[in-house]
Amino acid sequence: MPAVPEGALGLRADARQNRDRIVEVARRLFADRGLDVPMATIARHAGVGVATLYRRFPTKEALVTEVFADQFEACVSVVDDALADPDPWRGFCTAIEKICGMHAADRGFSTAFVAAFPEAIEIERERDRAIQAFAELTRRAKAAGRLRADFSPDDLALLLMANCGVITGSAEEAEAASRRLVAYLLSALRAEQADPLPPPARLSLHDVLNSPASATRPVRRADSGPTAHQETTARQGTGDR
Amino acid sequence: MPAVPEGALGLRADARQNRDRIVEVARRLFADRGLDVPMATIARHAGVGVATLYRRFPTKEALVTEVFADQFEACVSVVDDALADPDPWRGFCTAIEKICGMHAADRGFSTAFVAAFPEAIEIERERDRAIQAFAELTRRAKAAGRLRADFSPDDLALLLMANCGVITGSAEEAEAASRRLVAYLLSALRAEQADPLPPPARLSLHDVLNSPASATRPVRRADSGPTAHQETTARQGTGDR
DNA sequence: GGTTAAGTGGACAAGGCTCTCCACTTAGCA
DNA sequence: TGCTAAGTGGAGAGCCTTGTCCACTTAACC
């Protein structure tokens, strides 16, 4: 993450200020209300017009990506820190707790993270590194005999999505819920657990991070058409879902 | 749940048929695509006009309530069945597995359940009974020494919301993810777990089931206004969030 | 101070949604 | 068969979104 975001490089001083304020305001609004705050609201809170907003960030997605880029980096470095811990199990637990806590504290981030914007190119390289780092952390925690052997690194996606699920209500409620859920989950992950698990979900971290589903571009399947009843064929071609 | 829904009582034969088809189609569409299928799509698939749809169900919420009323009842009877099981822990586990499985199999239901429509009056009485039944199940499973003592009946809300979080992608993916998550969670709930938990989240079942947040009426906080910068007071009165 | 390219804001286009209105059709009954 | 209340479909109102356009303003350099 460069100290000056590359998008703000050749900007005139006033434009630069406006851009900074937009990002700052967007971060706060996304955190408080989630990703579906309208662009006009962000613009108004930043004291600019919508045109200015769209001049800096051609789509809402671009704004979201920019806003959460460094939060994503923070997640990555949490995993790095965990790898540096001499006790791999402690590292593992702290990493999960920290990441889930970050999500719980930021409504927009949790959505953005799970939704994931494939266009976040500067993130892409980091992402693969993070996945490998977490896999290594997993390996070590298992080797230390603390993490159950049938845990799959892809289960991280499962945990994160579950964590997102409990993020509702006020920030404090969300954080309390997340903390308790994570405590449950971590105690399920200890090696002493004997009950066998059903097969890992086909929800790998790669899938989640490249999913077409997104809060700003919701998944919309093509209309498969009616399967019965007197639906006339003439009505079909409306393009309606 | 009456055999003939009270909404369909004095209806003319053709109207009755249309109503039934609407509910059937809506159930299928909600299950496949979630709650945000447009009303027009439902009408089209049912082979009726939107006006007909709105004549039977004055709001989308009313339709959703009707569609999921019996699924809700099914959840309640799952808890009843669990209470009838001589082994309370087995009953407890099966209940959770079944309910989570039902949610995973039905994208719309999971949303509707967590969102919860306070207006679903006929459900209201059932709801309190279900909550008490689950509390009783909890008590027995603890008494049998199988469920960890610090489990709170309100944690059911936590589990259900977490489960909702992993419902993405195809139906099979969702069910696989849910199964694995539930397996993790149940192993965390066994009495042998020693690690103390953080305090229960202030997410009681009552709260969740009466939450103002909803998929059809998303939570919208009042705009608190900007906290800094040169926002003019004149711009404030636009009613924008 | 004057020039000018960069920056700006507000109106508006395009398209989505829920829900309403009203002129027309039809089931049910004598 | 013919009457009538019940039922109907489609157009469109009203509101929300994201994103565009263009006449105006202003920072930055001479």
Side-chain angles (χ1 to χ4, degrees):
Chain A
M1 184 186 55
V4 174
E6 63 292 341
L9 269 183
L11 255 42
R12 225 168 64 178
D14 55 343
R16 171 71 188 282
Q17 270 192 342
N18 280 342
R19 203 197 115 104
D20 291 350
R21 207 164 48 240
I22 287 169
V23 172
E24 178 193 323
V25 161
R27 196 193 316 279
R28 202 181 59 231
L29 289 175
F30 285 155
D32 282 356
R33 309 188 192 175
L35 250 35
D36 46 7
V37 179
M39 293 293 262
T41 300
I42 296 171
R44 200 170 48 78
H45 279 243
V48 301
V50 266
T52 303
L53 186 43
Y54 277 101
R55 169 168 286 251
R56 294 296 152 244
F57 305 95
T59 66
K60 185 172 188 178
E61 190 175 318
L63 175 61
V64 171
T65 302
E66 164 88 21
V67 163
F68 291 112
D70 51 344
Q71 304 232 37
F72 187 87
E73 300 271 334
C75 281
V76 175
S77 71
V78 161
V79 177
D80 286 339
D81 289 354
L83 273 177
D85 193 317
D87 177 346
W89 174 244
R90 188 177 60 195
F92 181 90
C93 290
T94 333
I96 301 236
E97 282 164 356
K98 276 191 193 163
I99 294 176
C100 288
M102 288 167 67
H103 285 206
D106 189 325
R107 191 175 304 272
F109 184 38
S110 59
T111 318
F113 190 95
V114 167
F117 302 95
E119 294 76 38
I121 305 150
E122 88 262 53
I123 284 178
E124 195 160 325
R125 225 168 302 125
E126 278 302 281
R127 184 170 67 204
D128 290 350
R129 203 179 61 70
I131 291 175
Q132 283 178 9
F134 182 75
E136 171 62 19
L137 186 58
T138 298
R139 220 170 297 126
R140 291 195 202 162
K142 283 183 188 173
R146 304 295 306 277
L147 175 62
R148 60 190 295 169
D150 49 3
F151 177 84
S152 154
D154 286 344
D155 282 338
L156 178 58
L158 198 69
L159 306 194
L160 292 180
M161 291 174 71
N163 186 60
C164 280
V166 304
I167 296 173
T168 336
S170 75
E172 303 82 57
E173 285 167 355
E175 284 171 75
S178 166
R179 260 195 305 275
R180 192 157 167 109
L181 178 70
V182 168
Y184 274 133
L185 287 171
L186 286 180
S187 84
L189 296 188
R190 290 180 325 186
E192 299 85 47
Q193 302 302 334
D195 298 352
L197 288 172
R202 235 347 272 149
L203 262 184
S204 83
L205 270 178
H206 267 100
D207 288 349
V208 170
L209 289 171
N210 288 302
S211 153
S214 145
T216 52
R217 291 170 302 141
V219 54
R220 313 225 127 148
R221 304 196 211 163
D223 194 347
S224 55
T227 56
H229 311 305
Q230 76 275 36
E231 171 88 7
T232 63
T233 47
R235 268 198 218 113
Q236 268 304 77
T238 61
D240 191 0
R241 296 174 289 114
Chain B
M1 182 187 56
V4 175
E6 61 292 342
L9 270 184
L11 254 42
R12 223 165 66 176
D14 56 340
R16 172 73 189 282
Q17 270 193 340
N18 279 342
R19 202 196 115 102
D20 290 350
R21 206 162 53 239
I22 287 169
V23 172
E24 177 193 324
V25 162
R27 196 193 316 279
R28 200 181 62 231
L29 288 176
F30 285 154
D32 282 357
R33 310 187 192 175
L35 249 35
D36 46 7
V37 180
M39 292 294 262
T41 299
I42 297 172
R44 200 168 49 76
H45 279 243
V48 302
V50 266
T52 302
L53 186 43
Y54 276 101
R55 170 169 283 251
R56 293 298 151 240
F57 304 96
T59 65
K60 185 173 187 177
E61 191 175 318
L63 175 61
V64 171
T65 302
E66 165 88 21
V67 163
F68 291 112
D70 51 345
Q71 306 231 38
F72 187 88
E73 300 271 335
C75 282
V76 176
S77 71
V78 160
V79 177
D80 287 338
D81 289 354
L83 273 177
D85 193 316
D87 177 347
W89 173 244
R90 189 178 57 194
F92 181 91
C93 291
T94 334
I96 302 236
E97 283 164 357
K98 276 192 193 161
I99 294 176
C100 288
M102 288 167 65
H103 284 206
D106 190 325
R107 191 175 304 271
F109 183 39
S110 59
T111 319
F113 190 96
V114 167
F117 301 95
E119 293 79 36
I121 305 150
E122 89 261 54
I123 284 178
E124 197 160 322
R125 225 169 302 126
E126 278 301 283
R127 182 171 69 204
D128 289 348
R129 203 179 61 70
I131 292 174
Q132 284 178 9
F134 182 73
E136 170 62 19
L137 186 58
T138 298
R139 220 170 296 125
R140 291 194 202 164
K142 283 183 188 173
R146 306 294 306 278
L147 176 63
R148 61 191 294 169
D150 49 3
F151 178 84
S152 154
D154 286 344
D155 283 337
L156 178 58
L158 198 70
L159 305 195
L160 292 180
M161 290 174 72
N163 186 60
C164 279
V166 303
I167 296 173
T168 336
S170 75
E172 303 82 58
E173 283 167 357
E175 285 171 73
S178 166
R179 260 194 306 275
R180 193 159 166 106
L181 177 70
V182 168
Y184 275 132
L185 286 171
L186 286 180
S187 84
L189 296 188
R190 290 180 325 185
E192 300 85 46
Q193 302 301 335
D195 297 352
L197 287 171
R202 236 345 273 148
L203 261 185
S204 81
L205 271 178
H206 267 100
D207 287 349
V208 170
L209 290 171
N210 290 301
S211 152
S214 144
T216 52
R217 292 170 301 140
V219 52
R220 315 222 128 152
R221 304 197 212 160
D223 195 346
S224 55
T227 55
H229 311 303
Q230 76 275 37
E231 172 88 8
T232 65
T233 47
R235 269 197 218 112
Q236 268 305 76
T238 61
D240 192 359
R241 295 174 289 115

